[in-house]
Amino acid sequence: MLDSKVSLLLLFLSAVAAAKASPVPRYRDLRFREAPQFYNSPGCPPPLSPSSSAEINCSPSALVHVAMTLDVAYLRGSMAAINSVLQHSSCPQSIHFHFLASKSIPYLNSTIASSFPSLPFLIHPFDPSLVSGLISTSIRSALDRPLNYARSYLPHLLPPCITRVVYLDSDLILVDDIAFLAATPIPPPSSLAAPEYCNANFTAYFTPTFWANPSLSTSFNGRRACYFNTGVMVMDLKKWREEGYTQKIEEWMELQKRMRIYELGSLPPFLLVFAGRIAAVDHRWNQHGLGGDNFRGLCRNLHPGPASLLHWSGKGKPWARIDAGRPCPLDALWSPYDLLQPAFSMDGDS
């Protein structure tokens, strides 16, 4: 009996040691399967060439330009988002993707190309030093990554021939044709279109220091300033460049370094520049907040009304909750677009 107990103890200790010795899977160890091929419907422009060169940037066959940031930490979400855009588009071969990345570009490039062999895309390098000196700490460290601010530089990273782009976060899926979103009217003087939420407590996005200073709080005078989420935007790049909005965003960030006027990452500078000056988009195009709040990431329900885009903004991401065995009910809507190759697959080597 004693020998049996000793053997069990040794077996347990051996298992523990093996578990400790096993390397924690890195993001680069993740493998993604190839997505289905989607084809243009009759009446679409000619398909774009599946090239990663800058030559197709200005092709007249590009019906929609889509921009996203891309990094290894959120790559699984990005892959699902791309898959959803293509699956629900009438003209998937006429969509040109633009990815902003600051590191691991060869790996990201090969991963996208492997899962989407016919995808017209280009990775635009983003230099973190452009913004790293302007970033102030926020309520969640994930919001402080330089790449989270790259959307502010998008008009200068894309070539001048691109005058309109749909910007999308990585933690969302589309269940409707992105061409409808891309065609949103942006009448002058607006240069941005996004769903507005005027019932949100707008004052909460800025500190008491901001509101107590008349020279700051009067910044919103003369406009009906409402909250909008910067994870889904249609951007008029030509107008943005003409008005120098990137510099205006940087000026607010420089002020934030001197006096604390907000707490929430890259959103408040956008609100300071654009709130009350954007073209409205139907709320169906950003069913946001499905990731819960910025602290606990609890489950949430859909907002009332139709949905064309589901957005897991907040702390809780569907892939993380699924892997942890604690998915929220709505995470099941994200799963069909997940391209992650299982670690142990019966279909091939792994």
Side-chain angles (χ1 to χ4, degrees), residues 52 70 104-115 121-123:
S52 295
L70 198 64
S104 305
I105 291 178
Y107 165 71
L108 295 170
N109 191 82
S110 63
T111 301
I112 296 292
S114 296
S115 288
F121 76 94
L122 191 64
I123 295 182

Side-chain angles (χ1 to χ4, degrees), residues 201-217:
N201 181 11
F202 189 78
T203 60
Y205 292 96
F206 302 94
T207 64
T209 299
F210 174 87
W211 294 113
N213 189 323
S215 64
L216 299 178
S217 60

Side-chain angles (χ1 to χ4, degrees), residues 55-273:
E55 296 174 2
I56 63 170
N57 268 331
C58 303
S59 171
S61 296
L63 183 66
V64 178
H65 289 276
V66 177
M68 303 174 66
T69 57
L70 198 64
D71 69 2
V72 291
Y74 284 83
L75 183 57
R76 188 173 171 187
S78 302
M79 300 290 277
I82 299 165
N83 192 22
S84 73
V85 170
L86 298 174
Q87 183 169 330
H88 294 283
S89 172
S90 298
C91 303
Q93 295 173 293
S94 300
I95 300 175
H96 188 195
F97 282 84
H98 303 267
F99 301 112
L100 311 182
S102 57
K103 56 185 179 181
S104 305
I105 291 178
Y107 165 71
L108 295 170
N109 191 82
S110 63
T111 301
I112 296 292
S114 296
S115 288
F116 303 97
S118 300
L119 186 73
F121 76 94
L122 191 64
I123 295 182
H124 304 265
F126 174 70
D127 183 358
S129 67
L130 284 173
V131 71
S132 56
L134 297 172
I135 296 175
S136 302
T137 55
S138 64
I139 60 174
R140 186 157 58 92
S141 59
L143 302 176
D144 300 337
R145 298 177 304 130
L147 197 59
N148 202 45
Y149 292 79
R151 71 197 82 187
S152 303
Y153 298 87
L154 192 57
H156 306 291
L157 295 172
L158 270 56
C161 63
I162 299 177
T163 58
R164 176 178 286 228
V165 70
V166 177
Y167 175 84
L168 299 175
D169 270 352
S170 297
D171 53 355
L172 54 79
I173 58 170
L174 274 80
V175 292
D176 204 344
D177 195 333
I178 195 171
F180 296 131
L181 175 61
T184 301
I186 308 180
S190 298
S191 63
L192 195 68
E196 290 184 295
Y197 303 91
C198 294
N199 291 329
N201 181 11
F202 189 78
T203 60
Y205 292 96
F206 302 94
T207 64
T209 299
F210 174 87
W211 294 113
N213 189 323
S215 64
L216 299 178
S217 60
T218 54
S219 302
F220 295 110
N221 284 0
R223 47 178 167 148
R224 184 171 181 256
C226 297
Y227 160 75
F228 65 93
N229 182 280
T230 57
V232 180
M233 300 183 291
V234 184
M235 305 170 68
D236 182 334
L237 302 185
K238 183 175 184 294
K239 183 69 173 177
W240 183 300
R241 295 168 182 134
E242 292 172 350
E243 297 296 328
Y245 286 127
T246 297
Q247 182 180 352
K248 293 177 181 180
I249 289 173
E250 288 179 334
E251 289 170 356
W252 282 111
M253 294 177 67
E254 289 169 354
L255 178 62
Q256 164 77 351
K257 296 289 287 187
R258 299 195 299 270
M259 55 188 299
R260 195 81 172 174
I261 59 174
Y262 55 79
E263 304 286 352
L264 196 61
S266 63
L267 171 64
F270 263 82
L271 296 180
L272 285 160
V273 174

